[in-house]
């Protein structure tokens, strides 16, 4: 029973910290665009680098 006097305040403090971190993450925009990173790894970024626009063909 005496251990509950220690464990209950520790659990409450832990819950408050978790809620504060969750609210900070939401406010900082961490959950704004969840699909961006999943599509970014599938995008072919090399395609843009291989296709330089050269003006020498027009001359």
């Amino acid at each position: 029973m005496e251990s509950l006097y220690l464990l209950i305040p520790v659990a409450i403090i832990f819950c408050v910290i978790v809620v504060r971190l969750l609210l900070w993450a939401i406010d900082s925009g961490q959950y704004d665009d969840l699909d961006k990173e999943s599509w970014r790894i599938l995008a072919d970024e090399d395609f843009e680098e291989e296709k330089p626009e050269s003006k020498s063909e027009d001359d």
Side-chain angles (χ1 to χ4, degrees):
M1 184 68 178
E2 292 177 9
S3 63
L4 288 178
Y5 294 130
L6 175 66
L7 291 177
I8 290 175
V10 169
I12 291 172
I13 291 171
F14 181 72
C15 289
V16 168
I17 290 172
V18 168
V19 169
R20 294 279 295 183
L21 287 174
L22 177 66
L23 292 174
W24 171 79
I26 291 171
D27 287 339
S28 67
Q30 302 251 347
Y31 296 106
D32 284 346
D33 190 7
L34 298 176
D35 294 328
K36 177 182 176 184
E37 294 300 318
S38 62
W39 284 105
R40 186 179 61 89
I41 62 171
L42 296 175
D44 190 13
E45 294 175 4
D46 297 335
F47 179 76
E48 295 173 1
E49 295 174 5
E50 291 177 4
K51 190 178 172 185
E53 295 180 16
S54 62
K55 295 182 180 180
S56 62
E57 294 176 4
D58 294 335
D59 293 338

